[in-house]
Amino acid sequence: MTKNYIAGEWLAASEASPNINPSNTQDVVGEFARASAAEAERAIAAAYDAFPAWSRSSIQQRHDILKSVGDEILARKEELGRLLSREEGKTLPEGIGEVTRAAQIFHFFAGECLRLAGEKVPSVRPLIDVEITREPVGVIGLITPWNFPIAIPAWKIAPALAYGNTVVFKPAELVPGSAHALSEIIIRAGVPAGVFNLVMGKGSVVGEAMLQSPKVSAISFTGSVPTGRRVAQTCITADPMKKLQLEMGGKNPMVVLDDADLKVAVECAVNSAFFSTGQRCTASSRLIVTEGIHDRFVAAMQERMAGLVVDDALKAGTHIGPVVDQGQLDQDLKYIRIGQEEGAKLVAGGDLLTRDAPGFYLAPALFTEVDNRMRVAREEIFGPVATVIRAKDYDEALEIANDTPFGLSSGICTTSLKYASHFKRNAEAGMVMVNLPTAGVDYHVPFGGRKGSSYGPREQGRYAAEFYTTVKTAYTFDGNSPYVPKTTASE
């Protein structure tokens, strides 16, 4: 049984849970520790005690640690990618790609350690200097999801450590193997005791301990909307209040206009909707297609989908792996039934599949004749299920695209500069793609959305500093001057 890492030690837990391969449910990846509330509180206390020294540590020390982490991840990308795909179910090329991205994230923030900057500006009052600097926040509780078990932890852990915070890391229960391997690499890189802590277990136990502890200064959470709202409510009402960053759901639109390159549009739609088994918050499950290209687009989608190979994530030639577990598979099947009951037409897929080994295999599903008021068009399914919504023209397509409680990613396929430019300006989303899949982003630029998708500062790139640091403004009077500064009662 693997252990949790608390206060510089690997500690056994009284409970453990099995990690099951969704491509082959007879394959147990391992038994992973499940922490108690007391163990979570011990990790928090360790991070709290380690913060003063780490927050004042050398930027060279932080750089060297993060660079070392990135170097080892990159050197082991095939091994780690295989582990990731085995426990989460995305294809091996996708798994290796995600691991590579995690390495790039650590390398980027290693550089950010050396690029820390502030401002020195003149005061409106004479003989006074003003300095604006950023300082670490404190103990950061990181709660990560199962769908990107290395990349999302990387883009939270790396900036937290780079800016001088200490970390208590709680990965999703479904994917502890990737989190454990990443943690071993971080520890080998020389992070001091207490600065980084891995506490695996239930969100209701470990996550709740983070939310309730006054020693935790901030929470970064990626997960479902209901849980995110619960996290937000607790952080805002806590004493003291906690800094908060939420990344939650998406119901992302992709608009396909009459003038679109049909092949480009189909590839964008298939990638957005079905790759990674549709288990991405940036996946496009609403394909909004104008009338002139609608029928040709649907026919081309059906032809393209017929060639997709759904099989074991580790098998060569697999395009789409299994759904992550039985609970998610049940949810996908439920929404397929809901779509049919609502009057949508299932024109491709939606069937359970049998493969060499028992697993959670589902043929990607495509619905047509969908109204944007249907549940399948409004609620996040988080699986390989896409809906095609017919629109009269660009204006109606844009209106439908923005008619959603979410606002993470939005895309358009068009050869018109006019419509592409207008869409970039008017799409109500944090990220906009033109002739690209809605899923697939760079690690050095901001990630996040609006409406019900995100809350708080953006993740990734230099914008990560907005969450992982706090701003200080310092005023200094030249005491050698005969000038005596004056104040008023209002200052």
Side-chain angles (χ1 to χ4, degrees):
M1 181 182 75
T2 60
K3 301 176 181 180
N4 288 306
Y5 188 75
I6 300 172
E9 296 181 282
W10 288 105
L11 300 177
S14 57
E15 295 184 23
S17 58
N19 185 11
I20 305 298
N21 179 353
S23 294
N24 179 0
T25 56
Q26 296 173 340
D27 175 31
V28 178
V29 179
E31 295 281 336
F32 288 83
R34 181 180 287 176
S36 65
E39 289 164 330
E41 289 164 3
R42 180 176 176 183
I44 293 167
Y48 186 82
D49 291 342
F51 174 73
W54 180 249
S55 66
R56 291 165 176 80
S57 60
S58 153
I59 59 173
Q60 187 67 52
Q61 179 187 11
R62 292 184 226 162
H63 165 274
D64 292 349
I65 288 172
L66 295 184
K67 185 178 183 301
S68 177
V69 173
D71 288 347
E72 182 172 345
I73 293 173
L74 200 58
R76 297 172 56 195
K77 63 182 181 180
E78 285 84 7
E79 171 203 345
L80 295 170
R82 180 170 291 274
L83 170 62
L84 190 160
S85 296
R86 183 182 170 205
E87 74 168 353
E88 194 272 344
K90 63 182 58 174
T91 66
L92 183 57
E94 289 174 327
I96 294 172
E98 180 180 335
V99 170
T100 302
R101 179 177 173 182
Q104 293 166 337
I105 291 167
F106 274 97
H107 283 155
F108 176 86
F109 283 106
E112 286 298 279
C113 293
L114 306 180
R115 291 189 288 265
L116 291 174
E119 299 176 73
K120 185 173 182 179
V121 299
S123 171
V124 296
R125 295 170 291 173
L127 303 176
I128 294 176
D129 288 330
V130 181
E131 293 175 297
I132 304 166
T133 55
R134 289 187 175 273
E135 297 183 353
V137 174
V139 177
I140 312 287
L142 304 179
I143 303 173
T144 61
W146 51 260
N147 61 325
F148 283 89
I150 284 185
I152 291 181
W155 83 48
K156 294 180 188 293
I157 295 168
L161 297 179
Y163 295 120
N165 302 283
T166 54
V167 167
V168 179
F169 169 39
K170 194 215 89 65
E173 280 191 276
L174 281 175
V175 287
S178 296
H180 195 274
L182 176 60
S183 298
E184 287 182 320
I185 293 171
I186 293 170
I187 294 157
R188 271 196 298 275
V191 64
V195 170
F196 173 83
N197 302 271
L198 169 69
V199 191
M200 299 175 288
K202 293 183 176 180
S204 59
V205 177
V206 177
E208 190 65 22
M210 293 182 187
L211 293 176
Q212 298 298 333
S213 175
K215 294 182 178 179
V216 174
S217 298
I219 295 286
S220 180
F221 167 86
T222 300
S224 69
V225 173
T227 304
R229 287 176 175 165
R230 156 78 174 135
V231 168
Q233 182 181 33
T234 305
C235 287
I236 291 170
T237 58
D239 185 16
M241 296 173 63
K242 301 184 191 302
K243 198 170 186 180
L244 178 63
Q245 181 182 63
L246 302 177
E247 289 297 338
M248 299 175 287
K251 196 68 178 175
N252 308 294
M254 171 165 284
V255 171
V256 179
L257 298 185
D258 289 352
D259 66 3
D261 181 309
L262 183 60
K263 184 176 180 180
V264 169
V266 168
E267 288 305 310
C268 286
V270 167
N271 183 304
S272 297
F274 304 131
F275 284 10
S276 294
T277 323
Q279 296 172 156
R280 300 183 284 192
C281 57
T282 51
S284 181
S285 55
R286 293 190 301 142
L287 309 174
I288 304 166
V289 186
T290 50
E291 289 181 334
I293 199 173
H294 178 278
D295 292 349
R296 288 185 293 129
F297 175 80
V298 171
M301 282 289 291
Q302 290 172 299
E303 182 180 357
R304 181 71 174 88
M305 291 171 67
L308 294 174
V309 177
V310 181
D311 209 332
D312 190 308
L314 299 178
K315 185 179 292 187
T318 296
H319 297 127
I320 298 171
V323 175
V324 70
D325 72 350
Q326 185 65 53
Q328 185 61 51
L329 180 61
D330 291 343
Q331 177 168 303
D332 296 344
L333 293 172
K334 180 188 75 172
Y335 274 103
I336 291 171
R337 291 194 299 270
I338 288 171
Q340 293 173 310
E341 292 166 358
E342 289 180 314
K345 183 178 180 182
L346 183 63
V347 298
D351 303 316
L352 290 173
L353 302 175
T354 301
R355 293 295 180 257
D356 293 341
F360 306 114
Y361 296 106
L362 177 67
L366 184 69
F367 281 103
T368 60
E369 309 304 321
V370 175
D371 186 287
N372 198 48
R373 293 168 293 186
M374 293 180 179
R375 288 182 63 188
V376 288
R378 302 203 70 79
E379 300 174 10
E380 186 176 40
I381 300 171
F382 218 67
V385 182
T387 61
V388 179
I389 304 171
R390 189 190 298 262
K392 179 177 64 176
D393 53 21
Y394 168 75
D395 291 334
E396 185 176 60
L398 176 63
E399 181 181 357
I400 294 170
N402 288 336
D403 181 16
T404 172
F406 298 100
L408 183 56
S409 185
S410 188
I412 187 169
C413 290
T414 180
T415 55
S416 165
L417 178 61
K418 170 188 172 182
Y419 289 131
S421 299
H422 188 273
F423 190 82
K424 286 190 289 185
R425 176 66 182 85
N426 291 280
E428 296 173 0
M431 297 175 289
V432 181
M433 314 294 182
V434 178
N435 295 321
L436 288 167
T438 56
V441 296
D442 292 350
Y443 61 87
H444 69 302
V445 293
F447 177 96
R450 58 178 74 173
K451 300 182 185 177
S453 291
S454 305
Y455 182 86
R458 289 287 192 264
E459 296 197 277
Q460 299 205 73
R462 303 194 73 176
Y463 280 74
E466 298 298 322
F467 178 72
Y468 291 100
T469 65
T470 185
V471 174
K472 175 180 283 184
T473 306
Y475 297 85
T476 304
F477 169 61
D478 181 359
N480 295 320
S481 169
Y483 170 76
V484 178
K486 297 180 180 179
T487 60
T488 66
S490 63
E491 291 180 322

